mmCIF file of all heavy atoms in Angstrom:
data_model
loop_
_atom_site.group_PDB
_atom_site.id
_atom_site.type_symbol
_atom_site.label_atom_id
_atom_site.label_comp_id
_atom_site.label_asym_id
_atom_site.label_seq_id
_atom_site.Cartn_x
_atom_site.Cartn_y
_atom_site.Cartn_z
ATOM 1 N N THR A 28 0.925 -6.650 -8.233
ATOM 2 C CA THR A 28 1.518 -5.520 -7.535
ATOM 3 C C THR A 28 2.874 -5.238 -8.154
ATOM 4 O O THR A 28 3.500 -6.116 -8.732
ATOM 5 C CB THR A 28 1.705 -5.814 -6.034
ATOM 6 O OG1 THR A 28 2.518 -6.977 -5.881
ATOM 7 C CG2 THR A 28 0.387 -6.022 -5.333
ATOM 8 N N GLY A 29 3.300 -3.998 -8.031
ATOM 9 C CA GLY A 29 4.626 -3.622 -8.489
ATOM 10 C C GLY A 29 4.616 -2.685 -9.673
ATOM 11 O O GLY A 29 3.560 -2.288 -10.178
ATOM 12 N N PRO A 30 5.825 -2.325 -10.130
ATOM 13 C CA PRO A 30 5.952 -1.399 -11.252
ATOM 14 C C PRO A 30 5.485 -2.028 -12.562
ATOM 15 O O PRO A 30 5.412 -3.249 -12.688
ATOM 16 C CB PRO A 30 7.442 -1.081 -11.298
ATOM 17 C CG PRO A 30 8.111 -2.121 -10.493
ATOM 18 C CD PRO A 30 7.110 -2.722 -9.571
ATOM 19 N N LEU A 31 5.195 -1.170 -13.520
ATOM 20 C CA LEU A 31 4.684 -1.626 -14.816
ATOM 21 C C LEU A 31 5.651 -1.249 -15.933
ATOM 22 O O LEU A 31 6.227 -0.165 -15.934
ATOM 23 C CB LEU A 31 3.315 -0.993 -15.074
ATOM 24 C CG LEU A 31 2.247 -1.388 -14.054
ATOM 25 C CD1 LEU A 31 1.098 -0.415 -14.087
ATOM 26 C CD2 LEU A 31 1.776 -2.798 -14.311
ATOM 27 N N ALA A 32 5.809 -2.147 -16.899
ATOM 28 C CA ALA A 32 6.636 -1.880 -18.075
ATOM 29 C C ALA A 32 5.827 -1.127 -19.117
ATOM 30 O O ALA A 32 6.362 -0.263 -19.818
ATOM 31 C CB ALA A 32 7.166 -3.185 -18.661
ATOM 32 N N GLU A 33 4.552 -1.460 -19.227
ATOM 33 C CA GLU A 33 3.674 -0.816 -20.206
ATOM 34 C C GLU A 33 2.302 -0.592 -19.606
ATOM 35 O O GLU A 33 1.833 -1.387 -18.785
ATOM 36 C CB GLU A 33 3.520 -1.694 -21.447
ATOM 37 C CG GLU A 33 4.778 -1.877 -22.258
ATOM 38 C CD GLU A 33 4.536 -2.753 -23.476
ATOM 39 O OE1 GLU A 33 3.481 -2.584 -24.132
ATOM 40 O OE2 GLU A 33 5.391 -3.604 -23.750
ATOM 41 N N VAL A 34 1.681 0.494 -20.036
ATOM 42 C CA VAL A 34 0.303 0.805 -19.660
ATOM 43 C C VAL A 34 -0.433 1.218 -20.925
ATOM 44 O O VAL A 34 0.182 1.660 -21.890
ATOM 45 C CB VAL A 34 0.236 1.931 -18.606
ATOM 46 C CG1 VAL A 34 0.785 1.465 -17.273
ATOM 47 C CG2 VAL A 34 0.945 3.184 -19.073
ATOM 48 N N PRO A 35 -1.757 1.067 -20.944
ATOM 49 C CA PRO A 35 -2.534 1.437 -22.137
ATOM 50 C C PRO A 35 -2.503 2.950 -22.397
ATOM 51 O O PRO A 35 -2.266 3.751 -21.501
ATOM 52 C CB PRO A 35 -3.950 0.987 -21.788
ATOM 53 C CG PRO A 35 -3.812 0.042 -20.646
ATOM 54 C CD PRO A 35 -2.583 0.453 -19.906
ATOM 55 N N GLU A 36 -2.774 3.300 -23.653
ATOM 56 C CA GLU A 36 -2.961 4.708 -24.022
ATOM 57 C C GLU A 36 -4.275 5.164 -23.414
ATOM 58 O O GLU A 36 -5.164 4.351 -23.219
ATOM 59 C CB GLU A 36 -3.011 4.851 -25.554
ATOM 60 C CG GLU A 36 -1.682 4.663 -26.226
ATOM 61 C CD GLU A 36 -0.651 5.731 -25.894
ATOM 62 O OE1 GLU A 36 -1.039 6.846 -25.467
ATOM 63 O OE2 GLU A 36 0.528 5.448 -26.034
ATOM 64 N N PRO A 37 -4.464 6.406 -23.094
ATOM 65 C CA PRO A 37 -3.563 7.538 -23.181
ATOM 66 C C PRO A 37 -2.656 7.699 -21.967
ATOM 67 O O PRO A 37 -1.882 8.641 -21.901
ATOM 68 C CB PRO A 37 -4.506 8.727 -23.326
ATOM 69 C CG PRO A 37 -5.729 8.328 -22.570
ATOM 70 C CD PRO A 37 -5.838 6.825 -22.748
ATOM 71 N N LEU A 38 -2.703 6.760 -21.020
ATOM 72 C CA LEU A 38 -1.824 6.832 -19.857
ATOM 73 C C LEU A 38 -0.359 6.758 -20.290
ATOM 74 O O LEU A 38 0.493 7.480 -19.755
ATOM 75 C CB LEU A 38 -2.164 5.687 -18.890
ATOM 76 C CG LEU A 38 -1.704 5.811 -17.449
ATOM 77 C CD1 LEU A 38 -2.174 7.106 -16.811
ATOM 78 C CD2 LEU A 38 -2.203 4.623 -16.634
ATOM 79 N N ALA A 39 -0.070 5.930 -21.286
ATOM 80 C CA ALA A 39 1.299 5.819 -21.794
ATOM 81 C C ALA A 39 1.796 7.154 -22.340
ATOM 82 O O ALA A 39 2.986 7.482 -22.222
ATOM 83 C CB ALA A 39 1.371 4.737 -22.866
ATOM 84 N N ALA A 40 0.911 7.951 -22.911
ATOM 85 C CA ALA A 40 1.295 9.262 -23.449
ATOM 86 C C ALA A 40 1.735 10.205 -22.322
ATOM 87 O O ALA A 40 2.640 11.022 -22.509
ATOM 88 C CB ALA A 40 0.137 9.877 -24.228
ATOM 89 N N LEU A 41 1.134 10.067 -21.142
ATOM 90 C CA LEU A 41 1.519 10.911 -20.002
ATOM 91 C C LEU A 41 2.902 10.533 -19.477
ATOM 92 O O LEU A 41 3.621 11.378 -18.952
ATOM 93 C CB LEU A 41 0.484 10.829 -18.893
ATOM 94 C CG LEU A 41 -0.902 11.394 -19.221
ATOM 95 C CD1 LEU A 41 -1.827 11.258 -18.025
ATOM 96 C CD2 LEU A 41 -0.828 12.823 -19.696
ATOM 97 N N VAL A 42 3.265 9.272 -19.631
ATOM 98 C CA VAL A 42 4.622 8.850 -19.259
ATOM 99 C C VAL A 42 5.604 9.374 -20.312
ATOM 100 O O VAL A 42 6.661 9.918 -19.981
ATOM 101 C CB VAL A 42 4.714 7.312 -19.135
ATOM 102 C CG1 VAL A 42 6.150 6.868 -18.909
ATOM 103 C CG2 VAL A 42 3.811 6.814 -18.007
ATOM 104 N N ALA A 43 5.239 9.242 -21.561
ATOM 105 C CA ALA A 43 6.114 9.682 -22.658
ATOM 106 C C ALA A 43 6.395 11.178 -22.608
ATOM 107 O O ALA A 43 7.514 11.610 -22.893
ATOM 108 C CB ALA A 43 5.503 9.300 -24.001
ATOM 109 N N ASP A 44 5.397 11.987 -22.212
ATOM 110 C CA ASP A 44 5.632 13.439 -22.199
ATOM 111 C C ASP A 44 6.172 13.952 -20.858
ATOM 112 O O ASP A 44 6.360 15.146 -20.670
ATOM 113 C CB ASP A 44 4.368 14.208 -22.608
ATOM 114 C CG ASP A 44 3.266 14.253 -21.552
ATOM 115 O OD1 ASP A 44 3.496 13.844 -20.391
ATOM 116 O OD2 ASP A 44 2.155 14.710 -21.885
ATOM 117 N N GLY A 45 6.421 13.037 -19.901
ATOM 118 C CA GLY A 45 7.024 13.426 -18.628
ATOM 119 C C GLY A 45 6.051 13.868 -17.563
ATOM 120 O O GLY A 45 6.456 14.246 -16.466
ATOM 121 N N THR A 46 4.748 13.829 -17.857
ATOM 122 C CA THR A 46 3.763 14.182 -16.831
ATOM 123 C C THR A 46 3.853 13.199 -15.671
ATOM 124 O O THR A 46 3.815 13.594 -14.504
ATOM 125 C CB THR A 46 2.332 14.180 -17.422
ATOM 126 O OG1 THR A 46 2.272 15.124 -18.483
ATOM 127 C CG2 THR A 46 1.299 14.523 -16.366
ATOM 128 N N LEU A 47 3.990 11.919 -15.988
ATOM 129 C CA LEU A 47 4.165 10.876 -14.980
ATOM 130 C C LEU A 47 5.521 10.212 -15.174
ATOM 131 O O LEU A 47 5.941 9.990 -16.311
ATOM 132 C CB LEU A 47 3.058 9.818 -15.095
ATOM 133 C CG LEU A 47 1.634 10.298 -14.825
ATOM 134 C CD1 LEU A 47 0.636 9.178 -15.106
ATOM 135 C CD2 LEU A 47 1.482 10.792 -13.388
#
Side-chain angles (χ1 to χ4, degrees):
T28 58
L31 298 161
E33 294 180 42
V34 291
E36 288 294 339
L38 199 54
L41 295 180
V42 173
D44 74 9
T46 300
L47 296 175

